[in-house]
Amino acid sequence: MSDDLFNLHVGYVRFKNPIALAPMAGIADSAFANQHAGDAGLVILGAFNLDEGSMKVASELAARGRKEFISDEPMEFIKQEIRAVTSGTAVAVNVRSTTLGPLIEAAKLVKEEGAILELNAHCRQPEMLDTGLGEALLQDLPRLSEWIRAIKETGVVLSVKVRANIIDDAQLARIIDKAGADIIHVDAMLEGFGTDLDAIMTYRDSTRKFLIGNNSVTDFADAKEMFSWGADMVSAARGVLEDPELIRKLVESVTSYQQVIGWYNAPKHVCSSGDFRGLAFCCMPVKPCPVHEKFRKLGYTAEEFARTKFEFAKGTMLEFGQDTCFGSLVWCCKVTKPCWIRDGALNTLDLSDAEYMKLKEQLAKYILDHAKIPVNES
C-alpha cells in the first residue's frame, strides 16, 4: 500500500496510514508491535523510564503487580527496541523522567534513529503523580512548556501524550502548540462516561498540530467517529489485547474508506457540531445558522468568508455546479449526506466522490490558512 493514499507526515517521519498502536507500560515493546501491529502507520513503544526517579516509581508499581519496563541502561534499551521493529512502520517511544536531562539525551538518540519521542504527560498512578511524573505535568504548565521547548531544540519530532478533562483542554492544546511540539496524543477520557468526542473537537479547534485520538477504539466505527471529530490518527491499546487482529482490521477498513471517500477524517458538518474544517461544507451564509459563529472565531465577516470560498473555487471543479442550491459545488455538503442535486452535478462533471472530497479537504486548509485569527488564538 502506497504512503501517497493518505499522504501523512510530520517532520522527517511519514505514516503509511492513520492507525497507531498506543503505548502500554510493560506490554507494548517491539515484540508485541511486530506481532500485533505490523500493518500500523505508527507503533508507540513504552512507556520507558529514563532516570532514577522514574525507575524507582516503576519498580514500586511492578512490586504491586503492574507491568513496567525497567532497564539499567535505558538509552541502549530504547535504541535496541526501535531497531527491533521489523515492519517498516514509523516508531515512537513514550518516555517518563523526573528530570529534563535524560529526556534531551533520549531525544537526540531517537532523532538519530529516525523515530519520534513521546513525552508522557498521561500516566496517573498516585506514585507517579507524587513524583511529578505523567499527568502531574499537566498541573505544572510552565515546566511542561519549558521541557517541550528544550526537547525540540534537538530537532526530534516530538509528541506529547495527555489526558483530556484534567485542565482546560483548549488552553492545554494552545500551550503545547506554542511550545513547539509536533503531535498531541489525546486520551479522550471522561471519568465515568467513557470516550469524550467533544474533547477531540476542542483540541482540533485549538491547534493545527497533528492530532492522535485515543480511548476505547475497538472497531472501525469507533475510529471513524474520532476521525470525524478531528483526529488525524487514532491509536488503540487495550483493544489490541482483546482482539489481536484489531490493528489489521482498522487499517483495512480505513484504507477502503479513503479509497472511496477521499478524505478519511472529513469533519462533521458545522451545524452538527463540526470543527473549523467543516466550514468547507457550509452553504452560503445568507441566513442565521451556526456557520456565522464558526467563521467569526477565525476573524471572517460573512462577506470575507464567502469571498474566500469563491477565491479557492476559481479554476477548480468546485467552481461548477450551477444547478446546485447556491450555483457552485463550493457550497455543497459531504458526500456521506444524501443530496441528489449535488450528486447530479458530480455525475455531469464526471467528478468522483473521492475527487470532490479531496478538493473539499484542500478548501478547508485554504480557509484556515487565510483566517485573520489563527486557530491557536481563536
Side-chain angles (χ1 to χ4, degrees):
M1 180 178 59
S2 171
D3 293 355
D4 293 339
L5 179 62
F6 294 98
N7 192 28
L8 294 173
H9 55 89
V10 178
Y12 52 77
V13 180
R14 294 191 67 85
F15 309 111
K16 57 188 179 183
N17 60 65
I19 304 299
L21 172 69
M24 292 180 281
I27 298 173
D29 59 7
S30 58
F32 185 89
N34 289 336
Q35 182 177 0
H36 300 294
D39 296 323
L42 172 66
V43 296
I44 309 174
L45 309 177
F48 299 127
N49 303 287
L50 301 182
D51 70 341
E52 184 177 344
S54 57
M55 296 273 195
K56 181 176 183 296
V57 171
S59 297
E60 292 172 357
L61 293 172
R64 63 176 175 86
R66 177 182 164 90
K67 293 181 179 180
E68 285 287 339
F69 292 118
I70 302 172
S71 171
D72 293 333
E73 297 183 1
M75 300 302 165
E76 184 62 28
F77 180 47
I78 287 172
K79 181 191 296 185
Q80 292 174 359
E81 281 293 292
I82 293 172
R83 294 181 176 181
V85 175
T86 59
S87 61
T89 294
V91 179
V93 289
N94 181 287
V95 294
R96 310 181 189 124
S97 180
T98 60
T99 53
L100 178 58
L103 291 168
I104 301 298
E105 184 181 355
K108 292 176 180 177
L109 181 157
V110 167
K111 181 177 182 292
E112 288 179 0
E113 296 298 321
I116 297 168
L117 188 77
E118 182 167 273
L119 178 61
N120 186 314
H122 171 262
C123 287
R124 58 176 182 161
Q125 289 71 26
E127 296 92 333
M128 292 189 185
L129 299 181
D130 290 344
T131 318
L133 291 166
E135 194 181 286
L137 278 169
L138 304 184
Q139 304 294 347
D140 190 352
L141 295 180
R143 178 165 64 115
L144 178 62
S145 296
E146 176 190 350
W147 282 15
I148 291 172
R149 291 190 178 96
I151 292 168
K152 277 302 298 176
E153 287 179 1
T154 68
V156 74
V157 172
L158 176 63
S159 172
V160 182
K161 187 171 186 193
V162 302
R163 193 182 300 276
N165 297 300
I166 301 303
I167 63 171
D168 182 271
D169 288 311
Q171 177 192 16
L172 178 59
R174 290 167 184 148
I175 284 172
I176 293 173
D177 183 320
K178 291 178 180 179
D182 304 283
I183 300 169
I184 304 179
H185 188 177
V186 182
D187 181 348
M189 175 182 176
L190 184 60
E191 197 73 47
F193 294 92
T195 306
D196 183 1
L197 294 170
D198 283 328
I200 297 290
M201 192 188 75
T202 296
Y203 279 86
R204 179 73 293 149
D205 269 357
S206 302
T207 178
R208 295 183 68 182
K209 299 291 185 177
F210 194 86
L211 184 63
I212 305 177
N214 169 262
N215 192 275
S216 304
V217 175
T218 60
D219 56 30
F220 185 59
D222 297 331
K224 192 161 68 169
E225 273 290 280
M226 277 199 177
F227 286 139
S228 71
W229 286 82
D232 296 300
M233 177 177 276
V234 300
S235 68
R238 301 296 169 186
V240 180
L241 296 177
E242 297 169 4
D243 179 3
E245 294 295 307
L246 178 61
I247 295 290
R248 180 188 61 78
K249 293 175 182 176
L250 291 175
V251 170
E252 288 181 355
S253 294
V254 75
T255 299
S256 297
Y257 191 67
Q258 175 71 349
Q259 289 169 337
V260 173
I261 297 297
W263 188 3
Y264 71 95
N265 68 333
K268 297 163 67 69
H269 291 101
V270 165
C271 52
S272 297
S273 302
D275 61 76
F276 284 128
R277 299 171 306 143
L279 289 168
F281 300 119
C282 286
C283 56
M284 194 174 286
V286 293
K287 60 182 180 180
C289 71
V291 66
H292 292 269
E293 180 183 0
K294 205 73 175 180
F295 63 62
R296 283 171 184 157
K297 288 181 178 178
L298 295 176
Y300 286 110
T301 64
E303 294 77 11
E304 290 167 338
F305 174 64
R307 184 168 62 249
T308 299
K309 292 189 76 168
F310 278 129
E311 287 171 353
F312 175 85
K314 189 174 182 180
T316 76
M317 298 298 277
L318 295 185
E319 186 176 14
F320 302 100
Q322 63 181 14
D323 293 329
T324 60
C325 297
F326 292 98
S328 167
L329 286 168
V330 79
W331 302 109
C332 289
C333 56
K334 290 171 66 173
V335 293
T336 50
K337 182 177 180 180
C339 177
W340 64 270
I341 301 175
R342 178 205 60 224
D343 292 345
L346 294 179
N347 288 334
T348 299
L349 295 167
D350 194 25
L351 190 66
S352 71
D353 287 353
E355 290 168 332
Y356 168 75
M357 290 292 281
K358 286 175 183 175
L359 284 169
K360 286 290 189 175
E361 183 178 14
Q362 294 168 24
L363 171 58
K365 183 177 184 299
Y366 189 86
I367 292 169
L368 292 172
D369 285 346
H370 289 76
K372 294 182 178 180
I373 302 174
V375 165
N376 64 0
E377 295 178 8
S378 61

